[in-house]
Structure formats: C-alpha cells, structure tokens
Amino acid sequence: MNAHTSLVVTAHPDPGSLTHHVAERLSTALRPGAVEIADLHQEGFDPRFTPADRRAYREGGGHPPDVVREQQRLDRATDLVLVFPVYWWSVPALLKGWIDRVFVNGWAFEYSAAGGVLPKLQRLTTHLLPVAGADAGAYERHGYEAALRTQLTHGLIDYVGSHRGATAFVHDSEQSSAGTMEANVDRAVRTLAAAVGAPASRS
C-alpha cells in the first residue's frame, strides 16, 4: 500500500494568523508522513477565472501552467486538507478561486453523453478544517455548518468522487481565551491527524 502524502492548503494573508498556526500544528502532527503545505497567499496564486481557464474548461485540457502545477500537487497527494477561515459562512475568495480553477472538467471530472458526470478523483481523500469566528451553538442554530458541508462535502468532494475525510471546526476563534483556543486547536488537529490514513467514508 502506498504511503500517505498530505497536501495542506491554506488561504490567509497573515502568516501570524490562527489559520496558519492551525496549519503548522497539523503539518507537524502528520509527520513523519510526507506533508506539503500550499500557502496560496504567500505563493501568489491567482484566483481569477480567466478566458484561458474558460477555454480549458470547455475543451477539457490545455490548462494554464499555474493550474497544472496545482493539479500535479494533488496528483501526488493521497489526502487533501483545506485549512481556512470562514468568511461569510463560506471559504475565502482566494480558496474559492483555487477550487474554481483547479477542480475542472477533464481533470477532476468529465462529462459523458451516456453516463453524465464521471468523477475522476477517487484516489483522493479530502478533509476540512474551518476556523470559525462564531461559537458552535450559533453554527447549529443558524445552519451554518450544514451550509458549509453542503457546499464543500456534497458540492465539491462528492462531485469529483473524492472520499470524505474528517471535518473538524475550530469555533469561537474571535472570543476564546488563549487556553481555550489552544485546546480547541489541539482537538481539531488530533481529529484530522487520526483521520489521515484511516478508512475513508463515501456515505
């Protein structure tokens, strides 16, 4: 069986942010396994969906070089972990643009006249680690967690055929004391680290 290789993707402009702290803690916990961190802001990834992206999407190939590089990173990975701050109950624009440009027709899925959508990323297990400003109670009362799961778990992970990994929120990131926040981070990191390498769910 192939060793696990994790790609940890972050999208936050401040290297001193809680999001980056969580990503670094997780990367440490995943070692000595192979881990690559994709810091989209630091690397200057362009999230704009261009006319070249549109042509590649319609034709199912000929993707721009920066998109090909990201797809190659994902081809090397067995596990993808998205670590991101929740902005307006969704992912930051930078991460959304990365998804829009990278998970495209001809690579992540393709269309068949006979079979409809054919997912192509069954080799990948995708995990989510959202950093949320609101507390868990607010997420439950207002359906925010369900909305995020619909967008990402069903709308992305299931659509491209990836296996469902773990989802672990770090809640109340704006209000918690340092001690409470570190305990929340530790719990989320342990959940994700344990899930990498565990049997993945398709339900």
Side-chain angles (χ1 to χ4, degrees):
M1 181 178 177
N2 292 334
H4 285 268
T5 300
S6 301
L7 177 63
V8 178
V9 178
T10 66
H12 197 292
D14 180 4
S17 66
L18 178 60
T19 298
H20 280 281
H21 173 66
V22 171
E24 289 161 6
R25 283 281 310 278
L26 176 62
S27 298
T28 299
L30 292 174
R31 293 187 175 97
V35 182
E36 181 177 3
I37 299 179
D39 182 341
L40 300 181
H41 189 273
Q42 192 269 337
E43 295 174 2
F45 181 81
D46 187 348
R48 295 173 298 178
F49 196 85
T50 67
D53 290 301
R54 174 64 174 164
R55 284 193 299 273
Y57 183 90
R58 296 190 67 165
E59 296 168 8
H63 305 294
D66 59 340
V67 170
V68 172
R69 284 193 298 271
E70 298 305 309
Q71 291 171 345
Q72 289 171 341
R73 275 176 156 174
L74 285 158
D75 284 338
R76 293 192 296 268
T78 56
D79 291 82
L80 168 65
V81 187
L82 303 180
V83 182
F84 59 92
V86 178
Y87 290 169
W88 294 109
W89 321 118
S90 187
V91 298
L94 178 55
L95 182 55
K96 179 60 164 60
W98 183 78
I99 293 168
D100 289 346
R101 296 190 64 211
V102 175
F103 288 76
V104 290
N105 179 33
W107 180 77
F109 61 92
E110 60 186 22
Y111 293 110
S112 163
V117 177
L118 301 177
K120 299 184 72 173
L121 297 186
Q122 293 91 342
R123 65 186 179 277
L124 189 68
T125 299
T126 302
H127 313 266
L128 307 174
L129 209 170
V131 178
D135 60 35
Y139 268 68
E140 182 176 351
R141 287 193 304 276
H142 300 294
Y144 298 144
E145 182 170 343
L148 268 172
R149 287 181 181 273
T150 298
Q151 291 176 58
L152 297 175
T153 304
H154 179 65
L156 173 65
I157 297 170
D158 292 351
Y159 194 83
V160 301
S162 175
H163 295 276
R164 294 183 181 187
T167 295
F169 280 78
V170 176
H171 287 108
D172 208 14
S173 63
E174 302 290 338
Q175 303 296 328
S176 295
S177 67
T180 299
M181 182 50 55
E182 200 55 36
N184 291 342
V185 169
D186 184 64
R187 181 164 48 250
V189 165
R190 282 189 285 106
T191 298
L192 266 292
V196 173
S201 169
R202 296 303 306 279
S203 60

